[in-house]
Amino acid sequence: MPKLGGLEKVKSDLRKVEKMKIVACGTARHAGLVGQYLFEELSGIATEVDYASEFRYRKSVWDDRSAVLAISQSGETADTLAAIREANEKGVITLGITNTVGSTLSRETTAGVYNHIGPEISVASSKAFTSQLVILVLMAVNFGRMRQLSLIEGRNILQEVHNIPVKIQKILQQNDHIRDIANRYKDYTNFGFLGRKYNYPIAIEGALKLKEISYIHSEGYPSGELKHGSIALIDPEFPSMFIAPNDSVYDKNISNMEEIASRKGKIIAVATEGNEEISRVADDVIYIPDTLECLTPLLTAIPMQLFAYHVASLKGLDIDQPRNLAKSVTVE
Ligand code: M6R
């Protein structure tokens, strides 16, 4: 079982939790969405994720088996803090994941985990996101081992977590390839990002990364939603980034890709190494090494970040300080 020192003091309370509400904003909320899949699959805890800015105005329903988890790199995001304050008032256990030691979030939650990744300077969150995902995996295994997850399953996941840095290195070695792709797509004015299950949150994160630093209109959505509206947008001028690793929803993703290709929409696919058949439907492919399904977001997030970085850089934009944005949003 992974030991998370910051959660030790509430360990016995955490055993009783049956409902988790994750509150966060922006990229941190996208990490929370991956957390939802992890907590429900590995820990058996019913989990909801909310925009902190909405949560504070909803009438939430609590009971003594509920807990709230706030995720915030800065630990100072006004909406996230307001959500935590409301939960504290209701007497619910509040947990935090933050990178900032001594931040308001760390002081106002009952317990939590620090990212300890050093300061994140760029407005666009990148290393914080990766680290939030790792912590959520560790929490899910931790909570799972208190409930339904076997020792072998838990160990298997943790062993694979150790392999992730080497696998990320392999993706980073494709930097030139990703820059070439970015160069070919940088002049499009709209972009779709699609993924399913664990990689739906990575699709919306990829869209956020691209829009915030390149100012290209980007929409992320779950690939199963394609037919419910967004497919109307597909034409040769509307490319899609499609996240389709070898996982339990791969076949579904392929059929969605075929729907896009048949409408002459260009596709960049993020796929698992060795998958040659994907070139049948995709115009360009970025490969990631194979890993466990629940850990794929740790790998698929990297091409999203690199692609957005290169598009913005090739357009001569300020990557660290994009227009209209602040690193820490301390007002509502
Ligand atoms: O400091 P926080 O994690 O609470 O910040 C939340 C969002 O403002 C932040 O993730 C924002 O979406 C980033 N600019 C995304 O790259």
Side-chain angles (χ1 to χ4, degrees):
M1 171 134 103
K3 194 164 156 69
L4 295 163
L7 300 184
E8 282 295 296
K9 67 176 179 186
V10 288
K11 212 165 146 189
S12 57
D13 296 323
L14 289 176
R15 283 183 200 281
K16 295 179 213 142
V17 169
E18 286 173 3
K19 282 188 221 150
M20 183 72 79
K21 297 199 185 208
I22 301 181
V23 288
C25 302
T27 288
R29 193 185 73 91
H30 299 160
L33 286 168
V34 177
Q36 179 178 33
Y37 287 89
L38 290 164
F39 285 4
E40 295 198 329
E41 185 170 343
L42 305 181
S43 327
I45 298 176
T47 306
E48 287 174 14
V49 184
D50 217 339
Y51 294 98
S53 56
E54 286 297 318
F55 176 89
R56 63 186 295 185
Y57 294 112
R58 278 223 329 270
K59 177 137 183 46
S60 293
V61 180
W62 309 94
D63 60 35
D64 57 2
R65 304 265 160 164
S66 307
V68 173
L69 167 63
I71 308 174
S72 172
Q73 188 284 134
S74 62
E76 301 297 346
T77 297
D79 286 321
T80 309
L81 293 177
I84 279 298
R85 283 170 188 151
E86 172 169 340
N88 280 336
E89 269 174 31
K90 300 278 180 334
V92 173
I93 306 174
T94 52
L95 306 175
I97 298 176
T98 184
N99 189 35
T100 314
V101 177
S103 58
T104 311
L105 185 80
S106 71
R107 287 185 274 108
E108 297 196 7
T109 40
T110 324
V113 181
Y114 283 119
N115 299 87
H116 286 312
I117 50 163
E120 189 179 61
I121 307 297
S122 167
V123 166
S125 183
S126 49
K127 68 177 177 179
F129 181 65
T130 310
S131 160
Q132 286 158 356
L133 296 182
V134 173
I135 292 171
L136 287 163
V137 170
L138 299 183
M139 279 183 155
V141 172
N142 190 298
F143 299 160
R145 287 289 299 127
M146 294 174 185
R147 296 170 174 80
Q148 57 177 45
L149 194 71
S150 72
L151 180 64
I152 292 174
E153 287 170 311
R155 207 175 261 162
N156 196 19
I157 294 167
L158 296 184
Q159 274 166 356
E160 180 59 7
V161 168
H162 283 286
N163 298 330
I164 292 294
V166 172
K167 295 187 176 186
I168 289 180
Q169 279 299 334
K170 279 189 87 176
I171 301 171
L172 294 175
Q173 283 162 9
Q174 294 177 69
N175 182 53
D176 292 352
H177 171 57
I178 296 173
R179 189 176 52 226
D180 287 348
I181 296 175
N183 197 29
R184 274 182 280 118
Y185 286 84
K186 68 179 191 311
D187 296 321
Y188 285 94
T189 50
N190 296 289
F191 232 101
F193 285 75
L194 296 99
R196 198 165 183 145
K197 200 174 172 186
Y198 279 102
N199 285 292
Y200 148 58
I202 305 306
I204 53 176
E205 172 60 7
L208 176 61
K209 286 283 93 71
L210 187 65
K211 75 177 74 144
E212 74 180 331
I213 63 171
S214 76
Y215 317 142
I216 294 174
H217 169 244
S218 325
E219 261 197 67
Y221 46 96
S223 43
E225 277 290 295
L226 188 64
K227 284 198 191 75
H228 300 284
S230 308
I231 199 162
L233 296 169
I234 304 296
D235 70 10
E237 295 310 310
F238 191 96
S240 301
M241 175 76 82
F242 214 117
I243 308 168
N246 290 357
D247 61 9
S248 59
V249 289
Y250 174 75
D251 290 344
K252 306 274 176 202
N253 278 330
I254 285 288
S255 77
N256 290 137
M257 289 168 79
E258 282 164 352
E259 287 159 357
I260 294 174
S262 69
R263 287 163 181 84
K264 310 229 170 334
K266 292 217 169 305
I267 297 174
I268 308 170
V270 175
T272 305
E273 270 170 11
N275 180 354
E276 305 289 335
E277 70 140 6
I278 205 153
S279 306
R280 200 172 43 80
V281 276
D283 299 274
D284 293 280
V285 185
I286 302 168
Y287 284 109
I288 58 156
D290 194 20
T291 189
L292 298 175
E293 176 168 17
C294 68
L295 301 183
T296 52
L298 284 162
L299 300 183
T300 56
I302 307 299
M304 301 300 117
Q305 295 169 356
L306 269 181
F307 179 73
Y309 168 83
H310 284 304
V311 170
S313 163
L314 289 159
K315 282 174 162 285
L317 299 170
D318 185 336
I319 292 156
D320 287 339
Q321 295 292 329
R323 70 187 180 199
N324 307 340
L325 291 168
K327 181 64 187 158
S328 184
V329 184
T330 54
V331 287
E332 188 175 357

